[in-house]
Amino acid sequence: MNLFTLFLSALLINNVILSKFIGMCPFLGVSTKLSSAIGMGVAVIFVIFGASVLSWALYYYALVPLELQYMKLICFILLIAAFVQFVEMFIKKNSPSLYKSLGIYLPLITTNCAVLYVALDNVTQKYNLIETMVNSIAVSAGFMLVLVIFATIRERLAASDVPEAWKGNPIAFVVAAIMAIAFSAFAGLV
Amino acid sequence: MSTASEKKQGFWREMIYNNPVFGLYLGICSTLAITTTLNNAIGMGIAVIVVLTVSNIVISLLAPITPDEIHIPVYIVVIATLVTVVGMLMQAYTPTLYSTLGTFIDLIVVNCIILGRAEAYASSHNVAESARDGLMMGLSYTFSLIAMSLIRQILGTGLLEFSNPMSNQVIFSLRLIPEAFVIPVFTTQTGAFLTFAVLAAAVAAIKNNDEKKEAAALKAKADAEKAAKAAAAKAAAKPVKEAA
Amino acid sequence: MNILFAILIAGALVGLNVWLYAANKKTPVPEGCENLKPDCRGCGITDCSLRAKVENREEAK
């Protein structure tokens, strides 16, 4: 597949949050402030990229030769958990300033469905290494894009007069519905 | 909070108050994605009930002998193994359902409900209690899925339909809304978000209403006590005055 | 034979997890980052370590 098409469709048309509904938990949790949304977004891009390249390698260099494909779920989730720990430790040691902006979001990412989803998707779609890299960057960039747009809307929403029962998450879902309509217009792009 | 929740410990109350989806916002990803038809909702619900109940049982057995440092990887292995088994069974016996649910079966591993219950409940309770908790949580999750899928399927396609997941034979099919009046947007992503928003707001409204009632009841009780105290004080003061 | 490899791989990954988890715990938090404030109260993941932090802080208040 054309790499550019792959990138665009993973970024906009099949956006993880608005079209596949993956990664909703951090989407609701961290999107109340713009600064946290950016921090979370960058951390997610980094972890998704690293974790999916590692899982790709594990799958094609260990599981396939040994015919252990059925182990992929167990192996990938363990690999992701280990990778997140490693990244957190590495940043703590080497870049305190980076830790200040990203560190707090790293533990949140292990239970982020988006990471596991991308790792599994790369394998089911039979992407090669380059396609895996492009796909994982595009998916996570799409995640960050929606997270940031959503955070700016929610900052305004906090000051508006919302009915009692709709305060907080329910009204956020209405906003997400409207954004999904906007994003569905990208469907004719490719 | 405690007075009313002790009064109404019924099944439905547990379904609404401790509802993991609309009350606590857990496991939203799959709720939004697979609730396009009743079949999907029931299939996913059963898969989650099985995984959640068995993982709660296994983890409550393992918890006392697991060192604290390794409990998270151990829980992850247990849950991922169960999900792999359930996925394989579904692939064998209900292949169409498995292919429509797709990755969402695998993503049960990272479903916040399961690891959350393992950590918060099963690790500190005995086997029977953990099994009951898993079953109840799974049931209220399934209940939420069914509620959402009914709304979306009926408004979006006008049909109420259920088919046998093993053979794909239609068991019943009922047209509730004429084809010219259906609202197809409910089968799309937008419809999923909107339905969820309405149901979540409804649960919040029920909770708010109950809290208000409780607050009013507490206030009335406090007022009555105050009045009684004042009356008692008056009564006590009177004889003193009379004596003076 | 394959089962052996399967157990070996899973065991190795669990070992890796445990080792990294312990090493991460041992690594001190850099200066100035001890009291980072997560802003995640909209989130429902109850087993998250951050959540415990947020809740503790709120109780302390």
Side-chain angles (χ1 to χ4, degrees):
Chain A
M1 201 206 268
N2 185 340
L3 287 180
F4 185 67
T5 323
L6 178 69
F7 185 83
L8 266 191
S9 77
L11 178 71
L12 297 175
I13 302 164
N14 295 320
N15 187 284
V16 254
I17 295 178
L18 294 178
S19 158
K20 305 251 182 217
F21 307 111
I22 284 160
M24 290 298 303
C25 297
F27 176 61
L28 287 174
V30 195
S31 62
T32 43
K33 259 195 195 149
L34 184 58
S35 56
S36 349
I38 293 174
M40 181 73 181
V42 174
V44 164
I45 292 183
F46 190 66
V47 171
I48 285 190
F49 182 75
S52 41
V53 169
L54 282 177
S55 347
W56 186 89
L58 180 76
Y59 188 75
Y60 284 105
Y61 290 109
L63 298 188
V64 172
L66 294 168
E67 290 178 356
L68 291 173
Q69 284 94 333
Y70 63 87
M71 294 263 298
K72 68 172 187 234
L73 198 56
I74 301 169
C75 291
F76 286 6
I77 187 74
L78 282 171
L79 198 64
I80 291 167
F83 183 67
V84 171
Q85 295 293 338
F86 174 75
V87 171
E88 195 183 341
M89 188 176 71
F90 186 82
I91 293 180
K92 263 188 205 168
K93 261 187 187 155
N94 297 311
S95 172
S97 59
L98 198 62
Y99 186 80
K100 211 167 193 171
S101 49
L102 299 187
I104 210 83
Y105 302 105
L106 283 170
L108 276 176
I109 295 177
T110 316
T111 38
N112 185 346
C113 355
V115 186
L116 184 64
Y117 165 75
V118 179
L120 289 170
D121 193 41
N122 289 330
V123 171
T124 14
Q125 306 282 349
K126 298 196 171 64
Y127 288 145
N128 62 28
L129 185 56
I130 304 289
E131 284 166 345
T132 295
M133 287 173 166
V134 171
N135 187 43
S136 48
I137 289 181
V139 169
S140 46
F143 180 84
M144 184 177 171
L145 178 73
V146 173
L147 201 63
V148 167
I149 297 176
F150 200 67
T152 54
I153 298 176
R154 266 187 117 170
E155 279 187 353
R156 288 308 272 298
L157 214 57
S160 57
D161 190 18
V162 178
E164 188 62 38
W166 290 79
K167 268 185 190 142
N169 287 338
I171 195 72
F173 275 96
V174 177
V175 174
I178 298 167
M179 279 176 74
I181 299 179
F183 268 69
S184 69
F186 287 121
L189 203 63
V190 175
Chain B
M1 262 315 255
S2 63
T3 50
S5 48
E6 275 164 29
K7 248 182 261 165
K8 296 184 270 173
Q9 269 291 351
F11 178 77
W12 289 107
R13 173 166 180 101
E14 198 156 341
M15 289 276 156
I16 291 177
Y17 260 71
N18 295 334
N19 190 302
V21 181
F22 301 119
L24 306 171
Y25 301 95
L26 295 173
I28 312 168
C29 311
S30 45
T31 309
L32 289 167
I34 56 98
T35 49
T36 44
T37 66
L38 187 59
N39 263 36
N40 286 355
I42 292 176
M44 186 73 182
I46 291 173
V48 169
I49 290 178
V50 171
V51 174
L52 191 53
T53 312
V54 181
S55 84
N56 263 7
I57 292 174
V58 174
I59 284 165
S60 71
L61 287 173
L62 282 178
I65 52 163
T66 319
D68 210 29
E69 307 87 64
I70 63 163
H71 71 278
I72 288 182
V74 169
Y75 295 176
I76 289 177
V77 172
V78 170
I79 296 168
T81 313
L82 286 170
V83 173
T84 310
V85 171
V86 169
M88 281 171 169
L89 286 174
M90 289 183 79
Q91 203 168 8
Y93 292 105
T94 59
T96 6
L97 187 64
Y98 182 79
S99 63
T100 43
L101 293 179
T103 18
F104 286 97
I105 292 291
D106 289 341
L107 289 181
I108 294 178
V109 177
V110 276
N111 191 322
C112 323
I113 299 174
I114 292 168
L115 199 60
R117 281 333 273 177
E119 191 102 352
Y121 197 92
S123 60
S124 55
H125 288 76
N126 68 31
V127 180
E129 281 170 342
S130 306
R132 187 192 167 275
D133 177 74
L135 197 63
M136 282 310 287
M137 273 282 161
L139 274 177
S140 53
Y141 177 75
T142 313
F143 170 66
S144 326
L145 286 185
I146 292 175
M148 251 191 92
S149 69
L150 279 178
I151 295 176
R152 287 182 70 192
Q153 196 180 10
I154 291 174
L155 290 179
T157 63
L159 285 170
L160 181 63
E161 202 172 46
F162 184 71
S163 56
N164 184 345
M166 303 233 189
S167 59
N168 293 324
Q169 247 175 349
V170 178
I171 294 176
F172 66 85
S173 175
L174 193 67
R175 180 161 282 288
L176 294 176
I177 302 175
E179 210 158 336
F181 294 100
V182 299
I183 315 166
V185 79
F186 276 97
T187 57
T188 65
Q189 283 86 356
T190 314
F193 283 122
L194 276 183
T195 317
F196 193 97
V198 172
L199 288 173
V203 168
I206 293 173
K207 275 189 183 174
N208 283 348
N209 199 10
D210 277 15
E211 265 166 37
K212 252 183 221 158
K213 266 188 202 157
E214 252 164 58
L218 275 181
K219 212 185 160 203
K221 208 178 164 193
D223 282 352
E225 264 171 23
K226 225 186 235 169
K229 243 184 212 168
K234 243 185 205 167
K238 242 182 194 170
V240 179
K241 247 184 215 167
E242 268 165 23
Chain C
M1 198 54 203
N2 262 340
I3 289 288
L4 204 70
F5 277 118
I7 294 169
L8 213 69
I9 290 179
L13 282 169
V14 172
L16 188 73
N17 251 294
V18 173
W19 175 58
L20 282 172
Y21 187 79
N24 188 18
K25 269 234 159 139
K26 251 188 253 160
T27 316
V29 175
E31 268 175 55
C33 302
E34 290 87 0
N35 281 312
L36 290 182
K37 244 193 168 166
D39 177 28
C40 55
R41 253 163 303 145
C43 174
I45 306 176
T46 42
D47 62 302
C48 172
S49 56
L50 282 184
R51 196 179 174 85
K53 264 188 209 167
V54 176
E55 276 167 4
N56 282 342
R57 194 171 296 133
E58 267 163 20
E59 269 169 27
K61 267 180 196 169

